[in-house]
């Protein structure tokens, strides 16, 4: 996959919106995703996954850039994901996150995806950012759930605020898939 496709951004010049992160799992895992399914560990096979989320705040940690930098960080002083430095540079160049944008100093595990992204056997490798005032997370999840290349890891995972959805999906992709998803997701911004 081309290196220049690791951070793709579309939409209006705002600090809020939705995103898709691409996650590579390098070895089979069993993970308890917080209180999801009463804390029972789930099998996470080797493969590539995507997570759909949103950050609808206009400033601070509830806005897009800080939320994505948080995902690219690990807890307890562990090294961040390699993409984090590129994200920080790119976001600053675009004015995404404001002039004082910094990665978090301390990260606690809060969202389902945090438990996956905190592991060293896992790498956050790519991100699609859709800058928008409109909530697009559900539409993005629907777009991916309708894609034959995507399969939910478990019903309801990553989507506590969207009953019936799953926002953490395993993907069976080729190199063109990521760019295709970006084109389809970007069309959601164009519909605003």
């Amino acid at each position: 996959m081309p290196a220049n496709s690791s951070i793709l951004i579309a939409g209006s010049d705002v600090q809020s919106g939705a995103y898709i992160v691409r996650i590579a799992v390098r070895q089979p895992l069993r993970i308890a995703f917080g209180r999801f399914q009463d804390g029972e560990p789930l099998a996470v096979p080797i493969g590539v996954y995507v997570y759909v989320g949103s950050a609808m705040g206009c400033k601070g940690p509830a806005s897009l850039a800080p939320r994505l930098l948080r995902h690219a960080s690990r807890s307890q002083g562990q090294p961040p994901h390699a993409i984090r430095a590129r994200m920080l540079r790119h976001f600053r160049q675009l004015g995404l996150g404001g002039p004082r944008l910094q990665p978090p100093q301390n990260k606690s595990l809060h969202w389902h995806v945090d438990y996956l992204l905190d592991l060293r056997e896992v790498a956050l490798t790519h991100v699609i950012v859709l800058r928008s005032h409109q909530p697009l997370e559900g539409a993005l999840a629907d777009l991916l759930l309708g894609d034959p290349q995507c399969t939910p890891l478990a019903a309801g995972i990553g989507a506590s605020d969207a009953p019936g959805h799953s926002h953490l999906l395993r993907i069976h992709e080729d190199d063109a898939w990521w760019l295709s998803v970006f084109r389809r997701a970007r069309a959601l911004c164009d519909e605003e």
Side-chain angles (χ1 to χ4, degrees), residues 46-127:
I46 292 172
V48 179
Y49 296 80
V50 290
Y51 171 71
V52 178
S54 64
M56 296 308 296
C58 295
K59 61 183 178 177
S63 62
L64 273 171
R67 175 73 48 87
L68 288 163
L69 289 172
R70 184 186 185 288
H71 285 323
S73 301
R74 292 187 172 101
S75 70
Q76 300 177 351
Q78 296 182 77
H81 293 271
I83 195 172
R84 189 176 83 174
R86 281 180 285 156
M87 289 168 62
L88 184 58
R89 280 191 307 274
H90 202 67
F91 294 164
R92 283 179 176 162
Q93 289 171 349
L94 294 173
L96 189 56
R100 295 189 199 120
L101 179 65
Q102 291 293 324
Q105 295 299 314
N106 298 305
K107 177 181 176 178
S108 60
L109 305 183
H110 177 72
W111 290 285
H112 295 154
V113 74
D114 288 342
Y115 295 88
L116 181 63
L117 291 172
D118 208 46
L119 302 174
R120 290 183 187 222
E121 301 86 0
V122 173
L124 190 162
T125 62
H126 294 72
V127 61

Side-chain angles (χ1 to χ4, degrees), residues 96-180:
L96 189 56
R100 295 189 199 120
L101 179 65
Q102 291 293 324
Q105 295 299 314
N106 298 305
K107 177 181 176 178
S108 60
L109 305 183
H110 177 72
W111 290 285
H112 295 154
V113 74
D114 288 342
Y115 295 88
L116 181 63
L117 291 172
D118 208 46
L119 302 174
R120 290 183 187 222
E121 301 86 0
V122 173
L124 190 162
T125 62
H126 294 72
V127 61
I128 291 173
V129 180
L130 300 178
R131 298 171 79 174
S132 172
H133 287 299
Q134 301 301 315
L136 299 175
E137 182 178 358
L140 277 177
D142 288 344
L143 178 120
L144 292 171
L145 287 165
D147 188 314
Q149 300 296 330
C150 298
T151 308
L153 178 63
I157 194 162
S160 301
D161 56 347
H165 281 89
S166 292
H167 290 189
L168 181 58
L169 308 137
R170 186 167 186 196
I171 59 174
H172 310 280
E173 59 159 3
D174 59 22
D175 288 349
W177 185 86
W178 184 251
L179 295 174
S180 165

